Amino acid sequence: MTVNRKFAELLNAVKACRVCEENLPFGARPVVQLDPRARILIAGQAPGRRVHESGVPFDDPSGDRLREWLGVSRETFYDATQIAIMPMGFCYPGTGKSGDLAPRPECAKTWREDLLAHLPNIQMTLVIGQYAHKWHLPQVKKNLTETVRAFEDFAPSVFPMPHPSPRNNLWLKKNPWFATSLLPALRQAVSKAISPTV
Ligand code: SF4
């Protein structure tokens, strides 16, 4: 069996997954964008309500901001051969008092290592939010802000990021170094990962 055939079977299994459905208030609807040719990995948190309904990852205000941070068009962003989108939880976990609930822990345990093994061409990974930080970074600082502030410890192959949600507008205002220092380095790394000859 070829690698790509195995990948196609794995992706079908992910799309049919119901492992933690009893804990998902709106049911299972895994939302990922994956292709073994992808060069950039976006490791996010979990789909929100709007993405659960559309089935399109980051098709919301968070996605608009994320595309601006990356400096890429919608067309590039949704080109699976360039960008893989694999949150820590593939299904919408529901919303609590202070925003969306944490990604279901069963998801990373069930799928993450197998899927990562099928993405051999990843040049850089955006690691978004505390759950992805804990999984993807060798070590985190005392809080998310300090981990993101230390981005040069990981760049250019990995960028620890806050969530691009409008809920983080205050965080962005309080941390202007994110726009002036991290984003230019991020856009440069994205440009190289997408066009390796540039
Ligand atoms: S969140 Fe992950 S483990 Fe749970 S049903 Fe969805 S795909 Fe399966």
Side-chain angles (χ1 to χ4, degrees), residues 14 17-21 24 28-30 88-92 104 106-108 110-111:
V14 166
C17 180
R18 298 294 180 267
V19 163
C20 69
E21 189 166 38
L24 298 169
R29 184 178 194 188
M88 294 307 295
F90 301 159
C91 300
Y92 172 48
R104 289 302 312 172
E106 299 88 340
C107 203
T110 307
W111 298 114

Coordinates of all heavy atoms in Angstrom, one line a residue, residues 14 17-21 24 28-30 88-92 104 106-108 110-111, ligand 1:
V14 N -10.5 9.8 10.1 CA -10.7 11.0 10.9 C -12.1 11.6 10.6 O -12.8 12.0 11.5 CB -9.6 12.0 10.5 CG1 -9.9 13.4 11.1 CG2 -8.2 11.6 11.1
C17 N -14.8 10.0 12.4 CA -14.5 9.7 13.9 C -15.7 10.2 14.7 O -16.3 11.2 14.5 CB -13.3 10.5 14.3 SG -12.9 10.3 16.0
R18 N -16.0 9.3 15.7 CA -17.1 9.7 16.7 C -16.6 9.3 18.1 O -17.4 9.1 19.0 CB -18.4 8.9 16.4 CG -19.0 9.1 15.0 CD -19.5 10.6 14.9 NE -20.1 10.9 13.7 CZ -19.5 11.5 12.6 NH1 -18.2 11.8 12.7 NH2 -20.1 11.7 11.5
V19 N -15.3 9.3 18.3 CA -14.7 8.8 19.5 C -15.2 9.5 20.8 O -15.5 8.9 21.8 CB -13.1 8.9 19.5 CG1 -12.5 8.8 20.8 CG2 -12.5 7.8 18.5
C20 N -15.3 10.8 20.7 CA -15.8 11.5 21.9 C -17.1 12.2 21.7 O -17.4 13.2 22.4 CB -14.7 12.5 22.4 SG -14.5 13.9 21.3
E21 N -17.9 11.7 20.7 CA -19.1 12.4 20.4 C -20.1 12.6 21.6 O -20.8 13.6 21.7 CB -19.9 11.7 19.3 CG -21.0 12.5 18.7 CD -21.6 12.0 17.4 OE1 -21.6 10.8 17.3 OE2 -21.9 12.8 16.6
L24 N -19.6 16.0 23.0 CA -19.7 17.1 22.1 C -21.2 17.6 22.0 O -22.0 16.9 21.4 CB -19.2 16.8 20.7 CG -17.7 16.3 20.6 CD1 -17.4 15.7 19.3 CD2 -16.8 17.5 20.9
A28 N -20.4 15.3 16.5 CA -19.0 15.3 15.9 C -19.1 15.8 14.4 O -20.0 15.5 13.7 CB -18.5 13.9 15.8
R29 N -18.2 16.7 14.1 CA -18.0 17.1 12.7 C -16.5 17.6 12.6 O -16.2 18.7 12.8 CB -18.9 18.3 12.3 CG -18.7 18.6 10.8 CD -19.6 19.7 10.3 NE -19.5 19.7 8.8 CZ -20.0 20.6 8.1 NH1 -20.7 21.6 8.6 NH2 -20.0 20.5 6.7
P30 N -15.6 16.6 12.4 CA -14.2 16.9 12.3 C -13.9 17.9 11.2 O -14.4 17.7 10.0 CB -13.5 15.6 12.1 CG -14.6 14.5 12.5 CD -15.9 15.2 12.2
M88 N -6.1 21.1 17.8 CA -5.9 20.1 18.8 C -7.1 19.2 19.0 O -7.0 18.1 19.4 CB -5.5 20.8 20.2 CG -4.2 21.5 20.2 SD -2.8 20.4 19.6 CE -2.7 19.2 20.9
G89 N -8.3 19.8 18.8 CA -9.5 19.1 18.7 C -10.2 19.4 17.4 O -10.3 20.5 17.0
F90 N -10.6 18.3 16.7 CA -11.1 18.5 15.3 C -12.6 18.9 15.3 O -13.1 19.3 14.2 CB -11.0 17.2 14.5 CG -9.5 16.8 14.4 CD1 -9.2 15.5 14.0 CD2 -8.5 17.6 14.6 CE1 -7.9 15.0 13.9 CE2 -7.2 17.2 14.5 CZ -6.9 15.9 14.1
C91 N -13.3 18.8 16.4 CA -14.7 19.1 16.5 C -15.0 20.2 17.4 O -14.3 20.4 18.4 CB -15.5 17.8 16.9 SG -15.3 16.4 15.8
Y92 N -16.0 21.0 17.2 CA -16.5 22.1 18.1 C -16.8 21.5 19.4 O -17.8 20.7 19.6 CB -17.7 22.8 17.4 CG -18.3 23.8 18.3 CD1 -17.6 24.8 19.0 CD2 -19.7 23.8 18.4 CE1 -18.3 25.7 19.7 CE2 -20.4 24.8 19.1 CZ -19.6 25.7 19.8 OH -20.3 26.7 20.5
R104 N -11.3 18.7 23.0 CA -11.5 17.4 23.6 C -10.1 16.7 23.7 O -9.4 16.5 22.6 CB -12.5 16.5 22.9 CG -13.9 16.9 23.0 CD -14.4 17.0 24.4 NE -14.1 15.8 25.2 CZ -14.3 15.7 26.5 NH1 -14.9 16.8 27.2 NH2 -14.0 14.6 27.2
E106 N -9.3 13.6 23.9 CA -9.3 12.3 23.2 C -8.7 12.5 21.8 O -8.1 11.6 21.2 CB -10.7 11.7 23.1 CG -11.4 11.4 24.4 CD -12.2 12.5 24.9 OE1 -12.0 13.7 24.5 OE2 -13.1 12.3 25.8
C107 N -8.9 13.7 21.3 CA -8.6 13.9 19.8 C -7.1 13.8 19.6 O -6.7 13.0 18.7 CB -9.1 15.3 19.4 SG -9.4 15.4 17.6
A108 N -6.3 14.6 20.3 CA -4.9 14.5 20.0 C -4.3 13.1 20.3 O -3.5 12.6 19.6 CB -4.1 15.6 20.9
T110 N -5.8 10.3 20.0 CA -6.3 9.4 19.0 C -5.6 9.6 17.6 O -5.2 8.6 17.0 CB -7.8 9.5 18.8 OG1 -8.5 9.4 20.0 CG2 -8.3 8.4 17.8
W111 N -5.4 10.8 17.3 CA -5.0 11.1 15.9 C -3.7 11.8 15.6 O -3.1 11.7 14.5 CB -6.1 12.0 15.2 CG -7.4 11.3 15.2 CD1 -8.6 11.7 15.8 CD2 -7.8 10.2 14.4 NE1 -9.6 10.9 15.5 CE2 -9.2 9.9 14.7 CE3 -7.1 9.3 13.5 CZ2 -9.8 8.8 14.1 CZ3 -7.8 8.2 13.0 CH2 -9.1 8.0 13.3
Ligands
SF4_1 S1 -13.1 15.8 18.6 FE1 -11.6 14.4 17.6 S2 -11.8 12.4 18.8 FE2 -13.6 13.6 19.2 S3 -15.1 12.9 17.7 FE3 -14.1 14.8 16.8 S4 -12.4 13.9 15.6 FE4 -13.1 12.3 17.0

